Amino acid sequence: MRVRKLTIAAMALAAGLSLTACQNDDDAAGQSTAPPAASTEASSGGGSGSAGSDSAGSDSAGESPNGTGGTDGTGGSGGTGGAGEDGKTAAKCSTDELEITAIDATVGGDTEGTVAVDLKNGGGRDCSMAGYAGVDLKTNYGTVSAERTGDPAPRIVLKDGETVTFGITYPINDTGGSGVRITGLVVTPPDETKSVTLDWPGGASLPVTDGSGTSVRVGPLGSAGQGG
C-alpha cells in the first residue's frame, strides 16, 4: 500500500508539472503572438507618420516655390519698372502747342541788334526739343534765312507752362539809307515743318550788303537772346 501511495503521489506530481509546463507554453505562445500585433500597429502608425511627413514636405515644397516665385516676381517687376523708367521720353513739342512770341532785346551801345524769341509750352503736357529753331526774315527784297551759330542745344524737356528762349542777332542799319526793310519774322520750332509768322520787333531795316552772305544769325535753344 505504501508503494502504491507513493506511485499515485508521483503520478499526481508529474501531472501537476505537466499542467504547469502546458500553462507556461501557452503563456509563451501568447507572448510571442502579442508582439507581432504590436509590431503591426507600430508599422501602421509609422505609415501615418510618414504620410504626415510627406504632407509636411509637400507644404515645405509649396512654400519654397512660392518664395522663389515672389523673389523672381519682385526682380521681374523691378526690371520692368527700371526698363519702363529708362524708356520714358517726352514727345517732341509741336508748333500747335507752343506759344511763340518775340521781343526786342537790344541793349544800348551794342553794335548789333538782338531779338529774343520765347517758346512757351501751352500743350498741357511735357514735350521735348533740341538744337535750333528755323528763322527767316521777310523783307521787301525777299526772304533772308538766319545762319545758325554756337553749339547745338542738347534735348530738353519743356514742362507744361515752361518757356525756352533763343536769340536772333542782326546788323543795325546805320548807313542813313532805307536799307532792306523787314516786314515779318517766320519761326519754325525744332523738328517741325509748320511755321508761325510774327511781327518783327527789332530794327526796321537791315543794311544793304553785297550779297556775299547773310548777316542775320540765330543761336541755339537756351541762348537767352544772345544769338550765339
Side-chain angles (χ1 to χ4, degrees):
M1 289 296 293
R2 183 179 178 83
V3 172
R4 184 177 180 183
K5 286 181 180 180
L6 289 174
T7 300
I8 291 172
M11 290 176 65
L13 178 60
L17 291 174
S18 176
L19 180 60
T20 300
C22 289
Q23 289 177 346
N24 289 337
D25 289 341
D26 290 341
D27 290 342
Q31 290 178 0
S32 64
T33 304
S39 176
T40 301
E41 291 176 359
S43 175
S44 177
S48 298
S50 297
S53 298
D54 290 342
S55 175
S58 298
D59 290 342
S60 298
E63 291 174 4
S64 177
N66 288 340
T68 304
T71 302
D72 292 344
T74 302
S77 176
T80 302
E85 292 174 359
D86 292 339
K88 285 183 179 178
T89 55
K92 71 175 184 177
C93 300
S94 68
T95 302
D96 291 335
E97 62 188 347
L98 293 173
E99 300 172 14
I100 305 176
T101 56
I103 62 170
D104 185 8
T106 304
V107 177
D110 285 354
T111 57
E112 290 186 310
T114 302
V115 167
V117 179
D118 290 340
L119 305 177
K120 181 179 180 180
N121 181 8
R125 65 178 180 90
D126 294 354
C127 65
S128 67
M129 63 176 73
Y132 299 86
V135 169
D136 297 294
L137 300 186
K138 288 184 174 183
T139 76
N140 58 330
Y141 283 95
T143 299
V144 176
S145 296
E147 178 184 358
R148 294 174 177 180
T149 60
D151 295 328
R155 183 161 296 279
I156 61 171
V157 174
L158 201 61
K159 295 185 179 298
D160 184 42
E162 288 187 343
T163 299
V164 64
T165 302
F166 67 88
I168 304 168
T169 57
Y170 61 96
I172 295 175
N173 182 18
D174 55 6
T175 63
S178 59
V180 178
R181 186 166 54 88
I182 303 172
T183 59
L185 168 64
V186 181
V187 176
T188 308
D191 301 321
E192 280 289 282
T193 57
K194 185 176 181 180
S195 303
V196 172
T197 300
L198 307 172
D199 291 335
W200 173 251
S205 63
L206 302 173
V208 177
T209 66
D210 59 6
S212 60
T214 181
S215 54
V216 180
R217 301 187 302 276
V218 57
L221 295 174
S223 59
Q226 297 307 307

